[in-house]
């Protein structure tokens, strides 16, 4: 069985031409080895490829509020339909 988790994010994104930069706080449903606490910080940078596609890097971290601070890095290709 694969564990499932999800997050709710509250943050602010700034756009400049095709670039997007964002920061926020995410609240995760469950704790895990990666996130020993439910709230984490998120940093995001994205680049719009076309009107309906974007590549994005997201970094989630607990900001050394607790140890370990493993964090999670995601590279995504986002498509809008």
């Amino acid at each position: 069985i694969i564990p499932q988790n999800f997050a709710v994010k509250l943050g602010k994104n700034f756009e400049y031409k095709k670039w997007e930069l964002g920061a926020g706080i995410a609240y995760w449903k469950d704790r895990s080895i990666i996130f020993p606490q439910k709230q984490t910080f998120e940093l995001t940078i994205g680049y719009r490829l076309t009107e309906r596609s974007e590549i994005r890097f997201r970094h989630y971290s607990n900001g050394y509020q607790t140890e370990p601070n493993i964090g999670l890095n995601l590279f995504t290709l986002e498509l809008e339909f």
Side-chain angles (χ1 to χ4, degrees):
I1 297 174
I2 299 172
Q4 297 180 353
N5 202 350
F6 67 89
V8 176
K9 177 195 160 198
L10 177 63
K12 179 70 177 166
N13 290 347
F14 301 94
E15 295 182 19
Y16 178 74
K17 296 185 180 180
K18 291 188 170 192
W19 290 95
E20 183 177 322
L21 182 65
I25 297 173
Y27 183 84
W28 294 85
K29 178 181 152 267
D30 298 316
R31 291 184 173 124
S32 67
I33 293 170
I34 296 173
F35 302 125
Q37 62 191 49
K38 290 188 175 188
Q39 70 276 359
T40 61
F41 301 101
E42 180 201 34
L43 297 175
T44 303
I45 187 167
Y47 183 78
R48 184 157 296 280
L49 300 169
T50 67
E51 200 173 298
R52 299 182 137 201
S53 66
E54 183 173 347
I55 55 173
R56 189 178 295 262
F57 170 76
R58 295 179 192 267
H59 172 74
Y60 293 95
S61 171
N62 68 17
Y64 282 104
Q65 293 181 45
T66 59
E67 298 233 358
N69 183 29
I70 297 171
L72 177 66
N73 295 316
L74 301 172
F75 288 96
T76 61
L77 172 63
E78 299 179 9
L79 304 173
E80 298 175 12
F81 296 97

